[in-house]
Amino acid sequence: MSVNRCMRLFNRLQRQINTRSPRITAGSCHVSFGSGLLHKQHQAGSVVCSRNVSSNKPPPKTPDTSLFIPVSLKMDSSIDWAVGEELTQPLDKSELLKVLNRFYKKKEMQKLASDHGLDARLFHQAFISFRKYVLEMASLPADLHIILSDICCGAGHIDDIYPYFIRHAKQIFPMLDCMDDLRKISDLRLPANWYPEARAIQRKVIFHAGPTNSGKTYQAIQRYLAAKSGVYCGPLKLLAHEIFEKSNDAGVPCDLVTGEERTLVDPEGRAAGHVACTIEMCSVTTPYEVAVIDEIQMIKDPSRGWAWTRALLGLCAEEIHVCGEPAAIDFIRELMYTTGEEMEVHTYQRLTPFSILDRAVESLDNLRPGDCIVCFSKNDIYSISRQIEAKGLECAVIYGSLPPGTKLSQAKKFNDPDDPCKILVATDAIGMGLNLSIKRIIFNTLVKPNVNEKGEKQMETISTSQALQIAGRAGRFSSKFKEGEVTTMHRDDLPVLKEILSQLVEPVQTAGLHPTAEQIEMFAYHLPDSTLSNLVDIFVSLCQVDGLYFVCNIDDFKFLADMIQHIPLNLRTRYVFCTAPINKKQPFVCTSFLKLSPNCPLTCLDLQTPLLMTSYHPNPHLNLCSYRFMDMFPDTACIRQIQQELDDIIQQGVRNITRLIRATDPTITDPLQTQSGRGQRSQRGSGERMDSSLANRLVRDGLLTPDLLRQLQREWSKDQKQELTNKSAVSTDCHNTDNKGKRMKKK
């Protein structure tokens, strides 16, 4: 190789190094320019938020560098890696290691690296990768090889390594080179601008404020039914079902959309003008005349608050009717300032009074018809139900994970004046508008498990808002009880309950947000090698919100993202699947979720076999995803038929709760023993209990029903009699044969 060629090659490499200087440094902040532009657009609408959410220019948020996962480098085979050795000489690895370690120990290098976004953690990780790269590569790029050779020979300074180190660091941590772009994408300070369709119309916002049983939702629904088109957004599937039935019964065709099902009333499949849906499923692009958003105070919920924020800011409706607690009025009005919309407030008073009793119930012997015992766990529900049934009383059971049809069936059973069931055992699921004929609310405990903003589960005393929501179910206007009563099961809890209910409800101060699919896709453009879970983590780490908002907990989203990371799906599809309402504590549901594959549709047969061996409710993500990916779910109708059949089975099981409970409680006399008579027990012996028998264990585990057991007993008795008859016949034949032989011998 000629000297001129070597010089030209070296100059070209040097120019390449200079042109690869960092485009955007972590120390500079262009977020203020982007948000300032949005603020100018916002001012063009002549609306200014009372909280100065965008005029200030706060410093850029320091990212959580523990979320930065280094990517593996791909070597460029087009570069002639042998040029460095041709220009100089092979490098001494031992001498090279000493040079690199001296570079790492220089404080000046660490300080310079911090200006490019490399804190101590990233500096260490980048150096380890750089050292491994230098020592293990068979041939280094010519420019780096020459610099290292000069330093080893004493002809260069150790600081000359820094540009190459930074170049390597930005290759394994690509987010360092686009940090300002990522900060702009994750700027959540003006979420009202995310919904241009809603901003294009002048919406009228009406807040219906009042306590429970005040008729606020009723007034909003009346306007909803009178409109040409409308959408009802509720917090529970049960409430969406109730509005769906009420609307169709009133002659207003209404569709139903929840996370588990979609019901179109039109036989030809055309969408109706009205739709009742759960809040997460509402459309922010479909125009409506009237929209109803129920339980607006849940906009502050750490996990689901983003859905209320999205509905309030994004629904394209001429009238937005918001229903909720008076504690949310000021905040919602302030939130409407950011959209340039005024809010009209209608206040309501409770239609029937309720009082706090001076005595606790203390014993289940003191229960009365119309009582509702509120528990905060299914274990407590089962325990209380067993004790009530042991006393010869029938009770209805309602808790959150029951299918909507079963909840409605139990509610009707409890409300029916001709049904002997007059006691209800329920969780706080009854606190969201379910119409029940309750005379007295009894709190079994005042401590409830909650998930905080960090996603951590903790036990906390219920808030005043929660207590009022539950207590307000006593003495509803439409029930036969015109006055309600509230008390506790235990004496020590009663003064605590009185103190809770005497306090004012804390005003709503913030609304939840969640990164949208579009924002995550823009993140992925800059970080193409990152997983969805890692993208969301970095987004939350960098995002900026003003005093009106907070970012909701995303642990469940990340759990599903990690679960399906190995499945080849595009990012938007992956995002949709991760929003499915999957219960991560149910192994069968998670296993079914993992069957997803673009080349392997999930069929009815894939579910039928495991469903026959389990007692799980049908996987809700099937219906949610089958709406969007029909080719992956070809047996949607079949699956929904299975779901309906399982709903019927669950309802039958809950209706027969007495048998189920007695079969699982050893302290309760087994009905089979009573019906079979005491003769069988005397045959087994007085010291042996029926509870330890195999038959009772099968009944207790749900593998055998009492009816089947009785049938088996009858068949077994019949077979036993037949066997005895056969044995008797054989014995007679043998006896006759033996006598015949003896007679022949005598002859």
Side-chain angles (χ1 to χ4, degrees):
M1 180 181 292
S2 65
V3 176
N4 290 335
R5 181 189 171 195
C6 291
M7 292 301 298
R8 285 196 303 270
L9 178 62
F10 183 81
N11 290 334
R12 188 168 73 249
L13 291 172
Q14 190 65 37
R15 286 195 302 270
Q16 185 179 4
I17 296 172
N18 295 334
T19 58
R20 295 194 61 172
S21 60
R23 295 187 292 109
I24 302 174
T25 62
S28 62
C29 177
H30 296 282
V31 178
S32 59
F33 171 78
S35 59
L37 178 60
L38 293 175
H39 185 56
K40 291 179 181 178
Q41 296 173 349
H42 173 61
Q43 285 181 331
S46 67
V47 178
V48 179
C49 179
S50 61
R51 297 187 195 182
N52 193 4
V53 298
S54 58
S55 59
N56 294 332
K57 298 180 180 180
K61 187 176 179 180
T62 303
D64 182 2
T65 57
S66 64
L67 304 174
F68 292 0
I69 301 175
V71 300
S72 57
L73 295 181
K74 298 178 181 178
M75 308 310 301
D76 189 354
S77 58
S78 63
I79 299 179
D80 186 1
W81 296 106
V83 174
E85 291 188 11
E86 293 182 13
L87 292 174
T88 57
Q89 59 184 358
L91 297 172
D92 184 353
K93 300 294 184 180
S94 60
E95 189 66 25
L96 203 56
L97 179 61
K98 295 178 183 179
V99 170
L100 293 174
N101 288 338
R102 280 163 43 206
F103 169 81
Y104 175 73
K105 293 178 181 178
K106 291 198 67 173
K107 299 296 182 183
E108 295 84 354
M109 297 298 100
Q110 297 184 22
K111 187 176 184 304
L112 283 173
S114 66
D115 294 337
H116 289 274
L118 288 170
D119 60 7
R121 177 199 299 269
L122 295 186
F123 182 82
H124 177 74
Q125 288 183 318
F127 174 75
I128 296 298
S129 176
F130 180 69
R131 184 177 63 187
K132 181 179 180 181
Y133 170 76
V134 170
L135 296 178
E136 295 184 3
M137 282 294 297
S139 298
L140 294 174
D143 53 349
L144 178 59
H145 187 104
I146 294 171
I147 290 295
L148 293 175
S149 177
D150 289 346
I151 296 173
C152 291
C153 297
H157 196 276
I158 196 171
D159 293 353
D160 295 339
I161 299 177
Y162 178 75
Y164 303 94
F165 167 75
I166 288 295
R167 181 176 70 183
H168 181 86
K170 290 185 177 181
Q171 287 176 335
I172 64 171
F173 294 114
M175 60 283 296
L176 296 175
D177 212 19
C178 57
M179 192 61 67
D180 278 3
D181 292 334
L182 298 180
R183 284 195 175 99
K184 290 179 181 179
I185 297 169
S186 59
D187 190 343
L188 306 182
R189 287 176 291 183
L190 289 173
N193 292 343
W194 301 351
Y195 309 102
E197 293 90 348
R199 301 291 77 78
I201 60 176
Q202 189 66 25
R203 307 182 306 173
K204 180 181 180 181
V205 182
I206 300 101
F207 195 120
H208 300 269
T212 57
N213 194 22
S214 61
K216 57 183 184 298
T217 305
Y218 172 81
Q219 296 296 331
I221 293 301
Q222 292 305 113
R223 180 67 187 95
Y224 163 84
L225 295 175
K228 296 179 181 178
S229 62
V231 57
Y232 168 83
C233 307
L236 301 175
K237 293 173 287 187
L238 192 60
L239 293 180
H241 270 269
E242 185 176 344
I243 300 302
F244 166 73
E245 294 179 352
K246 182 179 296 185
S247 180
N248 286 294
D249 291 343
V252 179
C254 177
D255 294 337
L256 175 68
V257 177
T258 71
E260 295 184 10
E261 59 185 306
R262 177 171 296 179
T263 303
L264 302 178
V265 294
D266 187 278
E268 297 182 2
R270 291 189 294 265
H274 290 69
V275 59
C277 64
T278 46
I279 190 79
E280 287 86 353
M281 300 299 293
C282 70
S283 170
V284 293
T285 57
T286 305
Y288 300 101
E289 182 181 347
V290 170
V292 177
I293 305 175
D294 209 355
E295 305 294 349
I296 189 60
Q297 68 275 1
M298 289 192 68
I299 199 171
K300 66 179 180 180
D301 187 83
S303 299
R304 300 179 64 199
W306 63 269
W308 275 263
T309 304
R310 173 176 171 270
L312 182 63
L313 298 179
L315 281 173
C316 299
E318 299 172 16
E319 293 182 20
I320 306 289
H321 290 260
V322 178
C323 306
E325 297 176 351
I329 293 177
D330 292 340
F331 176 76
I332 300 302
R333 178 183 284 114
E334 193 168 1
L335 210 59
M336 291 299 96
Y337 290 158
T338 65
T339 64
E341 296 162 340
E342 297 181 356
M343 189 177 77
E344 178 183 323
V345 179
H346 297 172
T347 57
Y348 304 84
Q349 300 299 321
R350 184 175 170 86
L351 299 175
T352 57
F354 77 86
S355 58
I356 307 174
L357 300 181
D358 293 328
R359 294 187 59 183
V361 176
E362 297 189 17
S363 172
L364 295 179
D365 293 329
N366 299 325
L367 292 179
R368 303 194 300 259
D371 280 349
C372 173
I373 304 175
V374 177
C375 308
F376 294 117
S377 72
K378 284 191 288 188
N379 289 335
D380 289 343
I381 284 184
Y382 296 148
S383 175
I384 296 294
S385 299
R386 284 198 296 266
Q387 297 177 54
I388 293 175
E389 296 288 352
K391 297 181 181 300
L393 301 175
E394 290 193 30
C395 65
V397 177
I398 295 177
Y399 54 88
S401 57
L402 281 176
T406 306
K407 292 178 188 174
L408 290 173
S409 174
Q410 290 291 289
K412 291 177 181 178
K413 177 183 176 69
F414 176 72
N415 290 336
D416 187 356
D418 298 326
D419 196 290
C421 175
K422 297 302 177 187
I423 307 296
L424 176 64
V425 183
T427 62
D428 53 338
I430 66 168
M432 290 293 177
L434 187 61
N435 290 317
L436 295 165
S437 184
I438 299 173
K439 170 64 175 178
R440 182 171 61 168
I441 289 286
I442 304 169
F443 285 89
N444 185 58
T445 180
L446 298 176
V447 178
K448 177 185 177 182
N450 285 322
V451 178
N452 59 22
E453 295 182 359
K454 297 180 180 179
E456 301 168 343
K457 190 174 182 179
Q458 55 189 17
M459 303 298 293
E460 292 182 345
T461 303
I462 60 174
S463 65
T464 300
S465 176
Q466 292 171 330
L468 287 172
Q469 283 281 346
I470 299 170
R473 301 304 153 194
R476 289 188 63 85
F477 179 74
S478 58
S479 72
K480 65 179 180 179
F481 302 111
K482 301 307 178 184
E483 293 186 8
E485 298 173 347
V486 181
T487 186
T488 60
M489 178 62 70
H490 306 288
R491 185 186 306 173
D492 295 340
D493 288 337
L494 188 55
V496 179
L497 177 63
K498 289 182 177 180
E499 182 181 356
I500 292 174
L501 292 177
S502 65
Q503 298 174 357
L504 296 175
V505 178
E506 293 184 3
V508 178
Q509 296 182 342
T510 53
L513 292 175
H514 190 281
T516 65
E518 292 77 13
Q519 290 167 332
I520 297 301
E521 284 180 331
M522 293 175 69
F523 250 56
Y525 172 80
H526 293 282
L527 306 174
D529 297 318
S530 297
T531 65
L532 176 57
S533 178
N534 190 231
L535 288 172
V536 173
D537 270 333
I538 297 176
F539 185 98
V540 174
S541 172
L542 291 176
C543 71
Q544 297 187 74
V545 296
D546 63 25
L548 293 174
Y549 302 99
F550 68 93
V551 179
C552 288
N553 182 270
I554 55 172
D555 286 348
D556 289 345
F557 185 96
K558 288 171 50 185
F559 174 82
L560 297 179
D562 290 333
M563 186 188 301
I564 63 173
Q565 180 57 40
H566 66 284
I567 300 176
L569 299 169
N570 63 64
L571 186 65
R572 178 61 69 99
T573 302
R574 195 180 299 276
Y575 181 97
V576 172
F577 276 123
C578 291
T579 60
I582 300 299
N583 187 344
K584 62 184 180 183
K585 295 182 180 180
Q586 294 184 349
F588 168 69
V589 174
C590 294
T591 302
S592 299
F593 192 72
L594 284 175
K595 288 180 177 288
L596 300 175
S597 171
N599 299 319
C600 183
L602 191 59
T603 65
C604 183
L605 184 61
D606 294 327
L607 284 181
Q608 283 180 323
T609 301
L611 279 174
L612 292 174
M613 304 301 295
T614 64
S615 59
Y616 286 106
H617 186 62
N619 195 350
H621 87 274
L622 290 175
N623 287 326
L624 172 68
C625 300
S626 65
Y627 302 146
R628 297 167 172 82
F629 310 107
M630 295 182 180
D631 55 334
M632 296 179 65
F633 299 90
D635 297 338
T636 303
C638 177
I639 297 299
R640 290 183 182 139
Q641 179 62 33
I642 294 176
Q643 180 182 14
Q644 183 60 48
E645 293 175 2
L646 289 177
D647 280 351
D648 295 340
I649 293 173
I650 293 173
Q651 290 188 43
Q652 181 65 30
V654 175
R655 282 195 293 267
N656 295 332
I657 192 70
T658 304
R659 294 182 183 178
L660 296 177
I661 290 173
R662 287 179 177 173
T664 59
D665 196 336
T667 63
I668 301 175
T669 303
D670 184 44
L672 295 179
Q673 292 180 333
T674 305
Q675 296 178 11
S676 300
R678 298 181 180 179
Q680 294 181 1
R681 286 184 295 179
S682 61
Q683 294 175 5
R684 295 188 181 94
S686 59
E688 185 177 355
R689 295 173 58 92
M690 180 66 176
D691 299 314
S692 60
S693 67
L694 174 61
N696 193 66
R697 291 202 304 272
L698 291 174
V699 172
R700 180 184 59 206
D701 295 340
L703 301 176
L704 196 63
T705 66
D707 291 337
L708 288 176
L709 182 56
R710 281 190 289 271
Q711 183 178 350
L712 288 173
Q713 287 175 339
R714 288 193 297 268
E715 292 178 359
W716 181 79
S717 299
K718 182 179 179 180
D719 292 341
Q720 191 176 38
K721 290 179 180 178
Q722 184 66 37
E723 185 178 355
L724 290 174
T725 302
N726 294 338
K727 285 183 178 179
S728 177
V730 171
S731 178
T732 302
D733 291 342
C734 291
H735 179 72
N736 293 336
T737 303
D738 185 52
N739 290 338
K740 183 177 180 181
K742 290 180 180 179
R743 288 195 298 270
M744 290 181 66
K745 286 181 180 180
K746 289 181 180 179
K747 291 181 180 179

